[in-house]
Amino acid sequence: MTLTAPQAPAPPHAAAPPPRPGSARRAWRTVSPYAYLAPFFTLFAAFGLFPLLYTAFVSLYRVELQAPGDMEWRGLGNYTALLGDEYFWVALRNTFTIGVLSTVPQLVMALGLAHLLNYRMRGRTFLRTAVLLPYATSVAAATLVFAQLFGRDFGLINYALGLVGIDPVDWQNGTVASQIALSTVVIWRWTGYNALIYLAGMQSIPDELYEAAAMDGASRWRQFFHVTLPGLRPTILFTVIVSTIGATQLFGEPLLLEGSISGGISHQYQTLGLYMYEQGWGFFHLGRAAAIAWVMFLLIVVLVGLNALIARRRSRKEAGR
């Protein structure tokens, strides 16, 4: 009998390493994120960045609409001419006053409306949809309707004022009256839009904060001021910035309120946007219109920067308490 030694079991085969991707696949993994973003940046460069830079280029020349190819170098002449134009300062003042008259009541009303829509009540979905209808309405249609409402002789607003013994108001020719009428159109269109933004911000605030405040005996008003408003600070900052940009670029409403590019007989409600249109397509001064566009752009940058700076300083003060 022959004895054989037991053979040791063969070692298990090690798992084969995964195949390394080829050079083409590695290159695609590196380039693919940029390829997916390329359409956006291409459109932005074509329709956003290029017009902005070309407008800055045109603002340094004297360019007339009748002969856009004949360009005469002026340097900063178009900007200095604006500083000496009294109607530019009138338009700048009107833009500021109309912006304040429309933005402040609009955001306050939107905040209160969002607070009411945040309660559990019947028909919430319908009401939330209804407040957005003015935003979906055409600017032209809304402005023309309000122009009839604020008519001097047969307007519904003056008729209602006459019922309480107030004389008719010339809403289109008076400086303050026309700006109030114009601000009313803006308030009507954008209040519901901002209310839905505030509503979304309120729904992101944890319910535990309200329950804790209620257990401490806080009333509804105290909960609103000490829980809701602090939780909505980033949302409020966003709406303030967006409303500031919109007020600076206001154009359709003042153009259609009376149908005049001059903003009334004495330019009483002519905004910077309407003044730019008047210079470019009314007086055919494309170079000066381009300078106004860049002044508006710089003004928006300054206002947005101030809003962000004020919000940051306030946050730091509250964090240091």
Side-chain angles (χ1 to χ4, degrees), residues 181-304:
L182 186 59
S183 301
T184 305
V185 183
V186 179
I187 293 171
W188 180 82
R189 288 198 71 240
W190 291 96
T191 298
Y193 173 81
N194 289 307
L196 290 185
I197 294 178
Y198 286 147
L199 179 61
M202 290 178 182
Q203 291 179 346
S204 65
I205 300 176
D207 294 334
E208 292 78 6
L209 298 178
Y210 292 101
E211 295 174 358
M215 292 180 62
D216 291 338
S219 62
R220 292 278 188 179
W221 282 107
R222 288 187 174 274
Q223 293 179 25
F224 178 76
F225 283 107
H226 297 285
V227 178
T228 304
L229 288 183
L232 284 179
R233 186 174 292 112
T235 308
I236 293 175
L237 177 61
F238 170 77
T239 55
V240 168
I241 291 176
V242 172
S243 300
T244 301
I245 295 174
T248 307
Q249 297 177 338
L250 197 62
F251 172 75
E253 290 84 350
L255 176 63
L256 297 171
L257 184 64
E258 191 185 7
S260 171
I261 62 175
S262 61
I265 298 177
S266 57
H267 300 255
Q268 66 269 16
Y269 58 87
Q270 185 180 54
T271 59
L272 284 176
L274 201 56
Y275 177 69
M276 178 185 65
Y277 184 84
E278 181 187 40
Q279 291 295 321
W281 283 263
F283 300 147
F284 311 124
H285 304 322
L286 294 183
R288 183 172 296 186
I292 299 170
W294 258 86
V295 169
M296 294 172 60
F297 173 74
L298 296 176
L299 180 62
I300 290 174
V301 171
V302 170
L303 292 176
V304 171

Side-chain angles (χ1 to χ4, degrees), residues 1 13 15 19 26 34 38 54 67 106 118-119 124 134 137-138 152 156 158 167 179 182 190 198-199 204 276 289 320:
M1 179 180 292
H13 294 284
R26 290 197 302 267
Y34 302 98
Y54 186 72
Q106 172 193 149
N118 197 30
Y119 284 108
R124 284 190 306 172
T137 306
S138 169
R152 182 186 61 181
L156 183 61
N158 279 340
D167 296 332
Q179 292 181 2
L182 186 59
W190 291 96
Y198 286 147
L199 179 61
S204 65
M276 178 185 65

